[in-house]
């Protein structure tokens, strides 16, 4: 299957700092990218959907000013957690697909574990 | 709204067969997907159903009934490496197009 990478794979930061996570589709052009968050022993919660060249669409309850998403090209999306706090500590997973539905394949990155001290 | 339910935990022994059920309520249904996830790793795709019926793929099969809002994942000839979390996900239309919405996952423990 297609490959999606994330960087960094883990990050530890101090409260109040900002953290940027990159998501890249390595061998296909991703028209749509998604950002999910997963707390321990819970499922993936969709945070936002990002279509290349347009603003991200955030799910209800997700603060768009806190979680900045940029999808500047067909192979790169970034998530910036601004002014991170300990409650933002989580596993962040991006997902990418080509096309309008997941039926052609939707692929997940390996995740980024964020720990805010 | 959307609601996806699956059992929290299941246990089974090597060589056995296990069925993981998933019920869902959603608008704009576009397909149902099953993913496997090992702790600390990304989900990996197992199968999907768009139409009613059974889809078989090696040791894994998935069934869908759209009228009942019901699906199951069947795992045969269980192996220790099948111990993982199994996520039921529904593809449904949202403001941005279509997105995969996940259930809480079923943690399967396979013992010898």
């Amino acid at each position: 299957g297609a490959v999606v990478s994330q960087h960094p794979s883990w990050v530890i930061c101090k409260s109040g700092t900002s953290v940027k996570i990159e998501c890249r589709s390595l061998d296909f052009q991703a028209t749509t990218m998604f950002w999910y968050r997963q707390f321990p022993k819970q499922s993936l919660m969709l945070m936002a959907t990002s279509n290349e060249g347009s603003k991200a669409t955030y799910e209800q309850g997700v603060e768009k000013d806190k979680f900045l998403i940029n999808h500047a090209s067909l192979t790169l999306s970034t998530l910036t957690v601004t002014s991170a706090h300990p409650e933002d500590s989580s596993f962040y997973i991006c997902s990418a697909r080509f096309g309008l539905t997941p039926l052609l394949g939707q692929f997940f990155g390996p995740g980024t574990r964020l720990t805010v001290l | 709204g959307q609601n996806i339910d699956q059992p929290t935990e299941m246990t089974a022994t090597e060589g056995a067969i296990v069925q993981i059920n998933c019920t869902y309520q959603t608008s704009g249904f576009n397909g149902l997907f099953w993913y496997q996830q090992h702790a600390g790793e990304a989900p990996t795709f197992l199968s999907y159903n768009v139409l009613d019926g059974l889809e078989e793929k090696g040791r894994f099969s998935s069934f869908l009934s759209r009228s009942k809002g019901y699906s199951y994942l069947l795992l045969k000839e269980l192996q220790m490496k099948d111990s993982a979390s199994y996520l039921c996900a529904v593809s449904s239309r949202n403001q941005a197009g279509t997105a995969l919405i996940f259930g809480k996952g079923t943690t399967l423990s396979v013992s010898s």
Side-chain angles (χ1 to χ4, degrees), chain A:
Chain A
V3 179
V4 176
S5 71
Q6 274 183 248
H7 179 79
S9 55
W10 59 270
V11 57
I12 301 172
C13 69
K14 291 183 179 178
S15 186
T17 61
S18 294
V19 175
K20 179 186 283 188
I21 303 169
E22 291 187 349
C23 175
R24 295 181 185 272
S25 55
L26 298 184
D27 51 3
F28 70 103
Q29 292 186 323
T31 51
T32 307
M33 286 185 167
F34 304 86
W35 286 95
Y36 290 83
R37 179 167 54 179
Q38 186 175 34
F39 292 107
K41 298 190 177 181
Q42 296 191 22
S43 192
L44 284 74
M45 297 297 296
L46 179 65
M47 298 175 67
T49 302
S50 172
N51 292 303
E52 187 266 338
S54 60
K55 289 183 179 179
T57 301
Y58 290 80
E59 295 297 301
Q60 194 172 7
V62 178
E63 300 173 56
K64 62 181 180 181
D65 294 330
K66 179 169 183 64
F67 298 98
L68 302 179
I69 292 171
N70 184 282
H71 190 171
S73 77
L74 286 172
T75 59
L76 173 64
S77 175
T78 60
L79 168 68
T80 301
V81 183
T82 62
S83 187
H85 290 285
E87 58 264 30
D88 298 323
S89 298
S90 188
F91 193 48
Y92 291 86
I93 301 177
C94 75
S95 181
R97 72 171 187 228
F98 172 77
L100 298 176
T101 80
L103 297 181
L104 295 177
Q106 182 161 333
F107 306 96
F108 288 81
T112 297
R113 184 160 302 284
L114 170 64
T115 302
V116 185
L117 302 176

